[in-house]
Amino acid sequence: MECDKKYITIQQLEQHNKAGDLWVSINGKVYNVSDWSKYHPGGETPLLNLAGKDVTDAFTAYHPTTAWQYLNKFFTGYRLKDYEVSEVSKDYRNIIHEFTKAGMFENKGHTAVFTLTSVAAMFGFVFYGVLCCNSLWVHLCSAMVLGMAWIQSAYIGHDSGHYIVMSGHGWNKFVQLITGNCLTGISIAWWKWTHNAHHIACNSLDYDPDLQHIPVFAVSSRLFNSVTSSFYGRKLEFDYMARILISYQHWTFYPIMCVARVNLYIQTLLLLFSKRQVQDRTLNIMGIIVFWTWFPLLVSWLPNWSHRVMFVLTSFVVTSIQHVQFCLNHFSANVYVGPPNGNDWFEKQTNGTLDISCSPWMDWFFDGCYGS
């Protein structure tokens, strides 16, 4: 009966917006996820960023249909009295419904097998070129192929991180650790920590860590006001050093992209050995140990230091293509300050993302040109 239902207002929902007191609404029903946030597979940060808000569109975008069945155990018994859905959100939800009915979100096993096979073939070429040949040109080609293998591995790690590569949760996690930690040396735990926050608040200057590169880069003049990062919990100081570096960022951008991979290795280690709560910390560390075992051994097999330096630098420079691609997708799109709200989440996602049209082979190799 309608008269038996209990209601709260949006303003009352917004009061439950912090760790330990974290409520959200989905389709007008209010859920208490205060305790669950610590175990949330996507981490606590996405929930904190949307705490006290309607999260229907975000929940629909990042959860399989099977997740809906678990919501009832978090239901508070309350519904939103003044719940409204914008016309854009209505259209978005209708599109999602139609795409789901058409099976467009189902895992495509043949694509995963083809991609994994191509990565295995590339790594096989690299090891053969290093271990069985002494030619400088073969080693140069091997380094370039290694860079491309890292690019492909990162995209598989990305897609398995969204649990869309394999059919089961456990198999996706296995692929994440292999393609991320073991093959590329970049922790899937670090990626999830930053990437999920990025998806929830795409192109928010203070909530999206993918835009917070002070003092090296600034994607908006609003960062000149020393914005406080909600993600890192500190102020992004636009100090004297930042003024100097950013004034030359149009010159330094591409050279920095060539060695940007080093920063990812550093960020991985900083997270895994920090006091933060890290899901599967031991497995992530073990995967990183695997990488830092095989990669130095492979490089040491090269005949001399000139070959080794060339090999490492070339492989890093090739992966700069991926780093530039990441930047193209978001650096040139619209930015804003603050978290997204329930009814403008989809608009801010589309405003903050720049899709790149390209040929079919590039579309495959660069993971659909990675407009996410």
Side-chain angles (χ1 to χ4, degrees):
M1 296 290 292
E2 185 70 25
C3 59
D4 295 331
K5 294 180 179 179
K6 298 185 295 183
Y7 291 90
I8 62 172
T9 65
I10 291 177
Q11 288 73 24
Q12 289 174 310
L13 173 65
E14 290 174 347
Q15 296 174 7
H16 303 274
N17 62 355
K18 56 184 177 295
D21 183 18
L22 204 166
W23 290 15
V24 296
S25 75
I26 300 174
N27 281 338
K29 297 177 72 174
V30 179
Y31 300 93
N32 183 350
V33 293
S34 303
D35 296 329
W36 166 245
S37 64
K38 301 180 183 65
Y39 308 100
H40 182 230
E44 191 175 22
T45 301
L47 291 174
L48 289 172
N49 285 354
L50 288 176
K53 302 180 185 297
D54 177 74
V55 300
T56 306
D57 290 340
F59 183 87
T60 303
Y62 302 124
H63 295 81
T65 54
T66 54
W68 291 85
Q69 64 184 305
Y70 301 109
L71 288 177
N72 279 338
K73 62 182 179 180
F74 305 114
F75 183 44
T76 61
Y78 291 108
R79 290 170 171 81
L80 285 183
K81 184 177 183 179
D82 41 0
Y83 176 66
E84 295 180 355
V85 182
S86 69
E87 291 302 316
V88 174
S89 285
K90 288 179 183 178
D91 290 341
Y92 167 69
R93 295 173 194 182
N94 287 333
I95 291 173
I96 291 293
H97 178 69
E98 293 301 321
F99 284 179
T100 302
K101 282 176 58 179
M104 297 180 69
F105 297 127
E106 294 177 4
N107 297 333
K108 304 298 190 295
H110 63 283
T111 303
V113 170
F114 182 76
T115 304
L116 290 168
T117 302
S118 69
V119 169
M122 284 189 281
F123 273 100
F125 177 88
V126 171
F127 276 83
Y128 178 83
V130 172
L131 301 179
C132 302
C133 303
N134 291 319
S135 168
L136 172 65
W137 295 107
V138 172
H139 293 163
L140 178 63
C141 289
S142 297
M144 295 173 67
V145 173
L146 177 60
M148 290 188 287
W150 278 341
I151 290 174
Q152 274 292 288
S153 296
Y155 290 134
I156 297 173
H158 169 270
D159 292 348
S160 62
H162 285 295
Y163 297 94
I164 58 174
V165 172
M166 309 299 284
S167 58
H169 183 93
W171 281 109
N172 272 299
K173 182 175 288 189
F174 175 76
V175 172
Q176 293 167 26
L177 291 168
I178 295 297
T179 57
N181 297 51
C182 297
L183 295 184
T184 70
I186 300 169
S187 168
I188 196 67
W190 171 82
W191 176 85
K192 284 183 178 181
W193 178 51
T194 58
H195 193 69
N196 289 335
H198 154 73
H199 267 308
I200 292 299
C202 182
N203 273 32
S204 167
L205 293 176
D206 48 342
Y207 279 78
D208 185 353
D210 285 5
L211 296 189
Q212 297 173 0
H213 302 294
I214 297 289
V216 182
F217 298 134
V219 299
S220 170
S221 59
R222 278 181 272 187
L223 290 170
F224 298 168
N225 296 322
S226 298
V227 170
T228 298
S229 168
S230 173
F231 181 80
Y232 291 112
R234 59 179 173 82
K235 199 169 188 178
L236 304 176
E237 295 284 356
F238 187 66
D239 54 19
Y240 178 74
M241 180 59 68
R243 288 175 182 273
I244 294 176
L245 293 175
I246 290 169
S247 64
Y248 292 101
Q249 67 179 6
H250 56 296
W251 293 107
T252 60
F253 177 76
Y254 287 107
I256 289 176
M257 291 298 102
C258 290
V259 292
R261 193 167 197 82
V262 176
N263 177 57
L264 302 185
Y265 294 147
I266 294 172
Q267 294 301 320
T268 284
L269 296 176
L270 288 176
L271 176 65
L272 292 184
F273 294 99
S274 70
K275 295 180 180 180
R276 293 181 181 273
Q277 181 179 342
V278 179
Q279 292 183 3
D280 302 314
R281 186 193 300 268
T282 302
L283 287 175
N284 274 267
I285 292 175
M286 290 173 61
I288 296 303
I289 291 174
V290 170
F291 173 80
W292 287 110
T293 299
W294 75 258
F295 183 54
L297 283 174
L298 181 70
V299 174
S300 70
W301 199 270
L302 292 164
N304 54 58
W305 278 104
S306 60
H307 281 227
R308 292 166 190 158
V309 172
M310 175 276 298
F311 184 88
V312 172
L313 288 179
T314 301
S315 62
F316 281 18
V317 169
V318 170
T319 61
S320 69
I321 299 171
Q322 187 176 55
H323 296 296
V324 171
Q325 182 187 351
F326 293 161
C327 296
L328 282 175
N329 288 134
H330 297 290
F331 279 20
S332 358
N334 296 326
V335 298
Y336 64 98
V337 176
N341 294 312
N343 264 349
D344 71 354
W345 178 85
F346 178 67
E347 293 97 313
K348 285 179 176 174
Q349 290 285 310
T350 52
N351 284 334
T353 303
L354 188 69
D355 196 16
I356 301 173
S357 179
C358 55
S359 60
W361 74 268
M362 289 182 67
D363 202 40
W364 166 75
F365 192 83
F366 293 104
D367 203 39
C369 284
Y370 201 78
S372 61

